[in-house]
Amino acid sequence: MYFVFDVDGTISFDGETISEEIQQAILLLMEAGHNVVFASARPIRDLLPILPKNFHKCRLIGGNGAFIKAQEKVEAIYFEQMTTEKLLQIIRRYQLTYLADGDWDFAYTGDVAHPIYKRIHFQAAKNLRLDELRQICKLVLFDAPDEAKHMLLKLPLSVSQYVSENILDVSPLGVHKARGLRQLGIDSFIAFGNDMNDRTLFEAAQYSVCVGEGEVSKFASIVITKNQVANTIRQFANKEMNGGIEQ
């Protein structure tokens, strides 16, 4: 069985580390013969540093599906040129700050105190001007007014809103985590997540576990607390699942 894990808010709760207990539970899954995939809003560049080295060979989905890593190769999906030009017009019109990701390098103009800035793996990439990025795979917009959001929703884009951080997460149309799994040839899996960018995973999964009672929890098979994550993973590793797990 494939097990798909979101990272931030699901198996990491400080944006920097994954607890030893959760690491060991995931390793137990792998030792039991299951395959593990990590699927994050982070680009692959920023996903690798938070994963222990023994997870680096797992299949990875970054940028909510904009990046796929398998067998040491990273593939990326980009905004179409016309869409990119319209995005740049909206950024200029509303003087928006942003994080724009190319296939590896990035352009950042947001607040350096923002949690997203702290997750960028600067040692592996360059902070370029937006016009220096050859192509854009993913865009995070900070403090965008409602009018800008309405304009974005008229474009061929996938837009997710994170109210707690006041950001809009923008990807090419049709790009999401479940699509990334299909691209990897995975159609049967169990998913762990916590946020609305995990909705497509929950809807496609054979079984789904939501960490916390966020909006996406209504699409999950069960809801658990962060303190139950390691034990829930261990239950999957230790016995056959017949439609559910003990809580």
Side-chain angles (χ1 to χ4, degrees):
M1 176 61 72
Y2 282 93
F3 283 80
V4 182
F5 292 95
D6 172 52
V7 176
D8 293 290
T10 299
I11 58 173
S12 173
F13 304 101
D14 61 4
E16 298 178 2
T17 60
I18 299 170
S19 74
E20 185 66 25
E21 184 182 24
I22 291 176
Q23 289 184 45
Q24 291 303 316
I26 294 173
L27 285 171
L28 192 62
L29 269 182
M30 297 167 71
E31 290 167 1
H34 299 293
N35 295 292
V36 170
V37 180
F38 296 97
S40 175
R42 301 181 185 221
I44 301 298
R45 175 197 69 230
D46 301 337
L47 178 55
L48 286 170
I50 197 173
L51 296 177
K53 290 256 170 88
N54 48 7
F55 294 153
H56 282 197
K57 291 186 178 180
C58 294
R59 293 177 177 90
L60 305 178
I61 296 171
N64 290 331
F67 304 91
I68 304 294
K69 180 179 180 293
Q71 298 178 346
E72 303 305 318
K73 181 180 179 182
V74 177
E75 298 181 5
I77 300 172
Y78 307 97
F79 292 112
E80 294 182 354
Q81 185 60 36
M82 185 175 295
T83 303
T84 299
E85 292 172 1
K86 291 180 178 179
L87 283 170
L88 296 180
Q89 290 173 7
I90 293 172
I91 287 172
R92 288 193 292 265
R93 178 173 178 177
Y94 295 99
Q95 298 184 325
L96 301 178
T97 54
Y98 53 80
L99 167 62
D101 282 305
D103 50 6
W104 197 258
D105 293 323
F106 63 97
Y108 187 89
T109 64
D111 187 348
V112 296
H114 198 283
I116 285 179
Y117 183 79
K118 298 176 182 178
R119 296 171 190 165
I120 297 173
H121 188 33
F122 290 95
Q123 294 83 355
K126 297 177 182 177
N127 187 0
L128 305 174
R129 296 194 313 270
L130 190 57
D131 59 7
E132 291 179 312
L133 288 178
R134 186 172 59 85
Q135 290 176 298
I136 302 174
C137 308
K138 184 173 175 288
L139 186 66
V140 174
L141 299 174
F142 301 96
D143 304 319
D146 287 342
E147 187 177 348
K149 179 182 176 182
H150 294 324
M151 293 183 69
L152 290 168
L153 293 175
K154 294 178 182 178
L155 297 177
L157 300 168
S158 294
V159 181
S160 299
Q161 184 170 11
Y162 298 86
V163 177
S164 62
E165 295 182 279
N166 198 18
I167 63 174
L168 296 176
D169 199 311
V170 184
S171 302
L173 184 65
V175 170
H176 48 72
K177 292 181 180 182
R179 183 189 184 279
L181 287 174
R182 291 197 298 269
Q183 192 172 337
L184 289 169
I186 300 169
D187 55 15
S188 180
F189 60 93
I190 292 170
F192 280 67
N194 78 304
D195 215 330
M196 283 304 290
N197 62 9
D198 298 312
R199 174 177 172 173
T200 59
L201 289 182
F202 288 1
E203 291 177 331
Q206 178 178 327
Y207 194 83
S208 54
V209 180
C210 184
V211 181
E213 298 183 357
E215 185 180 355
V216 76
S217 63
K218 61 187 176 185
F219 301 101
S221 304
I222 63 167
V223 179
I224 63 174
T225 68
K226 66 181 184 181
N227 294 328
Q228 295 174 299
V229 172
N231 187 55
T232 301
I233 297 170
R234 284 194 294 266
Q235 287 186 57
F236 279 111
N238 288 332
K239 63 181 181 181
E240 292 294 325
M241 304 312 306
N242 295 306
I245 64 173
E246 297 176 1
Q247 296 185 60

